[in-house]
Amino acid sequence: MPLDAVTTGLYNEIVSRNPAEPEFHQAVSEVLHSIQPALQRQPSLRDASLLQRLCEPERQVMFRIVWVDDNGTTHVNRGFRVGFSSALGPYKGGLRFHRSVNLGVVKFLAFEQIFKNALTGLGIGAGKGGSDFDPSGRSDGEIMRFCQAYMTELHRHIGPQTDIPAGDIGVGSREIGYLFGQYKRITNRFEAGTLTGKDLVIGGSLVRPEATGYGVVYFVEAMLAERGHSLEDKTVVVSGSGNVAQHAIAKLHQMGATVVACSDSSGFLHDPSGVRPDVLHEVKHVRRAKLDAYADLVPAARFVPGRSPWDIPCEIAVPAATQNELGEADAVALVKNGLIAVAEGANMPCTPKAVEVFDEAGIAFAPGKAANAGGVATSALEMQQNACRDRWSFSDTDKTLADTMRSIHNTCLITAANYEKPGDYVTGANISGFLTVASAMNALGLV
Ligand code: NDP
Ligand code: 2IT
């Protein structure tokens, strides 16, 4: 729906006050467009100051990180942490270590997190952080020294009641462990609830490593059930081959679907007989190799360098690598090849034009802020376990995750129907998340 005069003015101001942040503009524009029906129905929500505050981060920290590599060379990187909204709870969201990270990328991710975290219903505000540090090819010692240098500044800004970082691209349980070790050393406090995604032995939660990928698949299962389908015998293409992609592939396999392709930043892997989670595990975790090594182990598979996997025919697409990785031409190819559903494992992987193509073709489309919310939801479960020094079983935690994903799915559908957009998960997710955070902001007064 087109923007009204108030939101048009606000959006133009956001663009001019935040130049050179195209991903942030894109994320804000998407939300402002899809909440229009709610603004029209409840004029009090059109209060420009509410929307202005919603789109202005509460705080943004940028800092210098100095570290020394194995050859004795000194490197200077830039660190970020944006606390976007604490209306619903302490800032919560991951850290991304990738050379493409800049303030605009961190702000778009933190902004998306506002609505995602609201959808979980778990009392978590929104934040995101990271660095332009490139971890590829770095030794374990270099990663540790970088994490320690990063935390030397970040520790001032975080804590279990303030801001709780976790993983994202380039940050997994190893990095979270090194970050927590430095936090513990500097603060003299074993505050396990300051970071989530920890290894089990230092206070992590079962299911957190799997949660985002599994959660996406539970969401897809609910979307398909709505249309009278199941995952059994469906053909799926997943992009990426990191944390989210690997666990989505494993769960899809368990549920009887065949994942015929996945990818990394250098190309895609096509395995018509179905990507095998055990071989993927061997390649990524045992050999710590790039994805092309899979094709050396499975003769039926081939690695296609320099291309994305979207022209491989499939019924379900799960983009799970990075933002804007699936464009209009990819969407057209997917639709032409018999697509039924798309669930975003990554944050904002589909461009606005691609989403339009899916919309026009009547494809079930789940935005990342709904479909990938299982990761942060399970982080909130890790915080609960840390707060009461408890440890939950795998099956209890997995069941809570599955229930949460079904509940988010249903909330999206009910909200979408309520605003005369039946089946529109984007409208449902954005309006529902917005209404929750807006009512908390109103309750808190002008802060
Ligand atoms: P990982 O670092 O584990 O994996 C990232 C994967 O994406 C790798 O296969 C990587 O390939 C690929 N990739 C990264 N950047 C690019 C690029 N520019 N072009 C093509 N491929 C790329 O990260 P995660 O799996 O944790 O995160 C993936 C996505 O999921 C991100 O958008 C993240 O924000 C989102 N997400 C993650 C959650 C989590 O709990 N981890 C929760 C919710 C969302 P290569 O190895 O070659 O770099
Ligand atoms: O994008 C995301 O939701 C994450 N990277 C996970 C955040 C978290 O705090 O677990």
Side-chain angles (χ1 to χ4, degrees):
M1 190 179 277
L3 300 186
D4 66 10
V6 173
T7 32
T8 302
L10 174 74
Y11 179 71
N12 290 340
E13 191 184 319
I14 289 168
V15 172
S16 72
R17 288 184 77 206
N18 300 275
E21 296 180 0
E23 294 89 355
F24 178 53
H25 305 160
Q26 183 182 333
V28 169
S29 164
E30 191 240 23
V31 168
L32 291 181
H33 276 90
S34 59
I35 63 173
Q36 290 301 311
L39 301 183
Q40 279 175 8
R41 191 175 297 179
Q42 263 176 276
S44 66
L45 295 174
R46 288 164 71 192
D47 169 11
S49 120
L50 178 88
L51 295 176
Q52 214 176 355
R53 283 181 289 136
L54 182 75
C55 299
E56 178 72 14
E58 288 176 18
R59 69 184 198 189
Q60 309 177 53
V61 188
M62 276 172 72
F63 48 96
R64 186 179 71 190
I65 305 158
V66 183
W67 62 283
V68 180
D69 71 19
D70 289 346
N71 301 319
T73 306
T74 303
H75 297 264
V76 179
N77 282 101
R78 193 169 278 180
F80 305 88
R81 186 72 185 167
V82 170
F84 217 117
S85 169
S86 60
L88 293 171
Y91 307 122
K92 181 82 196 90
L95 298 174
R96 177 177 290 190
F97 292 170
H98 193 269
R99 59 189 177 281
S100 62
V101 168
N102 57 40
L103 184 61
V105 167
V106 176
K107 278 168 67 179
F108 115 68
L109 289 163
F111 184 74
E112 291 283 286
Q113 207 83 40
I114 301 177
F115 308 93
K116 183 193 306 192
N117 293 6
L119 281 168
T120 69
L122 291 168
I124 37 179
K128 201 85 185 192
S131 172
D132 58 2
F133 169 68
D134 180 0
S136 51
R138 290 294 172 194
S139 70
D140 199 55
E142 290 174 323
I143 298 283
M144 182 178 73
R145 289 195 297 283
F146 176 80
C147 289
Q148 290 173 342
Y150 183 88
M151 186 53 82
T152 301
E153 172 60 31
L154 189 72
H155 85 277
R156 297 177 225 286
H157 311 290
I158 62 174
Q161 313 299 337
T162 310
D163 184 357
I164 304 99
D168 195 82
I169 292 177
V171 178
S173 63
R174 174 182 59 165
E175 290 73 18
I176 293 293
Y178 294 150
L179 290 163
F180 182 55
Q182 181 75 345
Y183 178 85
K184 185 175 80 62
R185 170 160 70 177
I186 296 176
T187 62
N188 193 35
R189 294 162 76 92
F190 195 107
E191 277 176 338
T194 301
L195 287 149
T196 61
K198 300 177 294 295
D199 202 275
L200 276 187
V201 76
I202 52 170
S205 172
L206 286 166
V207 190
R208 178 62 189 89
E210 296 84 357
T212 311
Y214 279 20
V216 174
V217 179
Y218 296 143
F219 200 98
V220 172
E221 197 185 18
M223 285 167 97
L224 292 180
E226 211 45 50
R227 298 183 165 216
H229 292 282
S230 80
L231 274 165
E232 187 77 36
D233 296 328
K234 290 287 183 305
T235 303
V236 188
V237 168
V238 174
S239 65
S241 50
N243 171 277
V244 180
Q246 283 171 41
H247 292 106
I249 291 169
K251 182 53 81 179
L252 286 161
H253 185 74
Q254 241 180 54
M255 291 195 161
T258 306
V259 179
V260 291
C262 63
S263 67
D264 68 8
S265 55
S266 53
F268 79 88
L269 177 82
H270 185 206
D271 185 349
S273 60
V275 175
R276 285 174 45 188
D278 57 332
V279 180
L280 202 52
H281 184 267
E282 164 76 23
V283 169
K284 300 288 293 188
H285 295 284
V286 180
R287 304 187 180 201
R288 283 192 176 265
K290 294 285 284 180
L291 188 59
D292 57 359
Y294 183 106
D296 301 334
L297 300 173
V298 178
R302 72 189 168 113
F303 188 80
V304 181
R307 296 221 344 243
S308 60
W310 306 122
D311 54 7
I312 301 291
C314 64
E315 292 152 297
I316 297 157
V318 180
T322 195
Q323 63 272 8
N324 293 326
E325 55 159 316
L326 194 164
E328 184 177 13
D330 301 318
V332 169
L334 284 162
V335 169
K336 188 169 133 272
N337 286 334
L339 188 74
I340 302 172
V342 181
E344 292 188 325
N347 288 304
M348 209 169 74
C350 300
T351 64
K353 289 272 184 213
V355 178
E356 254 177 61
V357 171
F358 296 141
D359 208 25
E360 278 159 20
I363 305 296
F365 174 79
K369 51 172 80 79
N372 72 36
V376 76
T378 309
S379 276
L381 305 182
E382 182 172 332
M383 288 159 64
Q384 287 182 30
Q385 292 169 77
N386 293 150
C388 53
R389 296 181 178 280
D390 200 359
R391 199 176 275 287
W392 303 352
S393 70
F394 191 97
S395 60
D396 285 352
T397 317
D398 189 35
K399 183 178 178 310
T400 306
L401 168 64
D403 290 345
T404 305
M405 297 315 295
R406 281 190 286 269
S407 152
I408 295 173
H409 172 270
N410 295 345
T411 300
C412 290
L413 280 192
I414 291 165
T415 311
N418 190 12
Y419 285 88
E420 283 92 43
K421 295 259 186 180
D424 181 341
Y425 292 93
V426 174
T427 299
N430 283 328
I431 292 188
S432 166
F434 168 66
L435 292 178
T436 304
V437 80
S439 58
M441 288 170 75
N442 283 334
L444 290 163
L446 288 175
V447 291

